[in-house]
Amino acid sequence: MGLLLLMAASAALAKLQPAQFAGWAPDAGELRQPAIVVVLTAVVLLLVAYPLRRVVRWAGTSYVLTNQRVVVRRGRVRRQQEDYYLARVESLDLRQKLRQRMVGAGDLEFHMVTGAVLTVHDVPHILEFRNYTHRVWAQVFRASFQQAPAAAYYADQVGSDGDGMRRNVTGKELRKLGRNH
C-alpha cells in the first residue's frame, strides 16, 4: 500500500512541475504551490494512518483461552466476540507471514470436525498461545474418547458377591442398583 501511494504521489508531483503544470493548467499558476502542499500532506497522512489503523485494531483485540473454548474479542466501541469451541476442533495449525514473524504474531487455524477451517488472524505471541491452546485442546480431545464400561462388565461387577461368584440378580434389582449406585 505504501509503495503504491508513493508511486501515485511521485506521478502527481511530476505533473506539478512548472513546465508540466503550465502545459495542462496555463491560467492557474498560483495554485501550483498549494497543490504540492496538499499532495504531500495527503501522502504523509495516509502513510501514517493506514498502519496506525491496523495497530489500533490489533491493540483492541483480546484473546482468551478457557478449558472449553477460545474467545476473541475485538473493538473498543463496537464490541465483537467470536467463540471457537475446542470440542469441535479436529486439528490446529499455525501460519506466519514474514511481517508477522517480525513481530511474533501469526494466524491460528482451527480445522473443525465439520470440515470448515476457522482462522484467528494476527494473534500476538502466537507460539506460546498455540502451545497453550494445543495442550487444552488435547485434554478436551482425550476426554471425549473416555468411555463408560460396557453394560455386561457393569452387570458382572454388580451381580457378583465378594468372592467373585455370580449370584442371581433380577433385571429389576440391576436397574435399581444402577440408578442408586
Side-chain angles (χ1 to χ4, degrees), residues 5 46 78:
L5 190 60
L46 288 173
R78 193 182 75 182

Side-chain angles (χ1 to χ4, degrees), residues 118-131:
L118 303 176
T119 304
V120 180
H121 296 283
D122 297 324
V123 179
H125 308 288
I126 186 66
L127 296 175
E128 294 174 49
F129 192 80
R130 194 263 329 250
N131 290 340

Side-chain angles (χ1 to χ4, degrees), residues 147-174:
Q147 299 176 357
Y153 176 79
Y154 180 70
D156 285 345
Q157 291 294 323
V158 172
S160 301
D161 20 354
D163 62 355
M165 297 297 292
R166 186 166 171 88
R167 63 183 176 94
N168 286 335
V169 180
T170 65
K172 185 176 181 179
E173 288 174 325
L174 283 175

Side-chain angles (χ1 to χ4, degrees), residues 37-94:
V37 171
V38 167
V39 167
L40 291 177
T41 304
V43 166
V44 169
L45 285 176
L46 288 173
L47 284 175
V48 170
Y50 182 73
L52 187 63
R53 176 184 60 93
R54 292 181 61 104
V55 168
V56 167
R57 183 176 52 192
W58 189 48
T61 302
S62 65
Y63 303 88
V64 179
L65 174 64
T66 69
N67 62 348
Q68 294 181 358
R69 62 189 175 153
V70 174
V71 180
V72 180
R73 293 187 184 117
R74 299 184 197 291
R76 299 265 186 227
V77 177
R78 193 182 75 182
R79 286 300 253 183
Q80 177 184 357
Q81 180 172 320
E82 299 169 9
D83 294 354
Y84 301 93
Y85 291 95
L86 295 174
R88 298 178 187 161
V89 173
E90 190 173 81
S91 66
L92 295 169
D93 281 339
L94 167 78

